[in-house]
Amino acid sequence: MSTNSPPGPRRVRVTSPRTSAARRPTTPTGTREIDEQTRLGEVYMSSLIQSQLRLTLAVIGGTGLILGSIPLLFWLAPATRTFAIFGLPLPWIILGIVVYPVVYVAARIYVRKAERIETEFTEFVGRQ
């Protein structure tokens, strides 16, 4: 047997014919900072969470103030406890009917503003 066997196939380097093609866009820095959990990413996330917390506390506070004032109304104006509209006592009307639109409006305000906060945050982080 001969030790001088013919050499194997030559190695060939294969490259893309489209070397001038546009490359994939890089991830914006802000998004990368958040994904990699760097200190700057933590600052971005903490600002988002603080904005959401402020909104939550404002909506809960406003709703609580409006709904919490109902018992105060009955206490300060005793005539409201016995006042009737269409044969129904006013407290029943307020607690059974009026409360729900107040809660609905508060929820709509919260959702709309929370979406706005998230959109602004996404736009800001995307520009970085």
Side-chain angles (χ1 to χ4, degrees):
M1 222 184 209
S2 145
T3 59
N4 291 344
S5 61
R10 257 184 49 175
R11 295 183 101 195
V12 177
R13 183 174 179 191
V14 178
T15 60
S16 170
R18 296 177 23 163
T19 55
S20 64
R23 303 196 185 237
R24 286 192 344 208
T26 59
T27 307
T29 308
T31 306
R32 188 172 38 237
E33 295 289 338
I34 293 170
D35 289 342
E36 293 174 1
Q37 298 180 353
T38 63
R39 179 68 187 131
L40 182 59
E42 289 177 19
V43 170
Y44 287 155
M45 289 307 298
S46 113
S47 82
L48 173 64
I49 291 170
Q50 287 174 356
S51 297
Q52 291 174 334
L53 179 61
R54 265 194 307 274
L55 172 63
T56 301
L57 294 176
V59 171
I60 288 175
T63 305
L65 185 67
I66 292 170
L67 297 179
S69 66
I70 294 171
L72 186 63
L73 168 72
F74 296 143
W75 182 67
L76 291 175
T80 58
R81 291 184 237 163
T82 57
F83 187 76
I85 299 174
F86 300 117
L88 292 173
L90 181 63
W92 285 21
I93 293 173
I94 291 175
L95 296 174
I97 298 171
V98 176
V99 167
Y100 295 103
V102 170
V103 172
Y104 177 78
V105 168
R108 292 288 299 182
I109 290 170
Y110 176 79
V111 168
R112 192 170 12 142
K113 292 196 180 209
E115 288 175 347
R116 185 181 315 148
I117 288 171
E118 290 174 6
T119 301
E120 289 172 357
F121 176 78
T122 303
E123 290 173 359
F124 174 75
V125 171
R127 286 187 304 232
Q128 298 299 316

